[in-house]
Amino acid sequence: MLEAMETQHLPAPPVLFDLDGTLIDSEPNYYEAGRRLLAGHGVRDFSWENHTRFIGIGTRETLTVLRREYGIEAPVEELLAGKNALYLELAGASTTAFPEMRALVRRLNGHGVPMAVASGSSRAAIAATAAVTGLDAYLPLYVSAEEVAHGKPEPDVFLEAARGRAWHRIRAWSWRTPRRPRAGGARGRHALRRDP
């Protein structure tokens, strides 16, 4: 695709990436942060299997469901702050980028393709994981679910990222991994989607 655009002297379309589970392997840290948070509120049986129900779902939306399911009295805002703090501690110590995705990002950057991240994570979490993996050198623009009315699985965060660079005037690609279908497929969206 890149070579074809260069031959035809076409501008490269911008690329929007999801972050967690697409660019970086963050789920083990998110699980551990959630497990520790819930343990502090008396929930001792939160398993990896329970966690996988929320892969692809924003942190606020996840905690809203868990608070209701486990009868936690603390408000969502308190839970959100607690989980973010735990996650940042874990992510700063051990987060890795998927090698194939790192190579893709570097290649796109080398071809001058503008890129951005749209994520259900907090801005602090995006910044921390981008920094520790070195992806911040290639992906300076990112939008968090904190900045939109509805987190994933709704598409708001991707739409806001596209608007952030006036990308509505040219084609935008949204790349997601097939193993996280709830966010990409909640309303008939696909793992790889191009909007005109």
Side-chain angles (χ1 to χ4, degrees), residues 61-83:
E61 288 73 21
T62 296
L63 292 172
T64 298
V65 173
L66 292 174
R67 178 178 181 268
R68 182 176 64 249
E69 288 183 353
Y70 289 107
I72 298 172
E73 293 184 3
V76 170
E77 291 298 330
E78 179 181 324
L79 296 175
L80 189 60
K83 183 169 183 179

Side-chain angles (χ1 to χ4, degrees), residues 2-3 5-6 12 104-114:
L2 293 173
E3 289 80 1
M5 287 188 299
E6 288 177 345
L104 175 60
V105 167
R106 285 178 172 169
R107 185 174 184 212
L108 291 172
N109 180 73
H111 284 273
V113 177

Side-chain angles (χ1 to χ4, degrees), residues 132-149:
V132 77
T133 57
L135 292 174
D136 57 343
Y138 311 103
L139 298 161
L141 177 65
Y142 52 87
V143 177
S144 163
E146 293 176 333
E147 302 170 68
V148 295

Side-chain angles (χ1 to χ4, degrees), residues 91-109:
S94 62
T95 300
T96 58
F98 293 114
E100 298 86 352
M101 297 306 291
R102 181 190 297 279
L104 175 60
V105 167
R106 285 178 172 169
R107 185 174 184 212
L108 291 172
N109 180 73

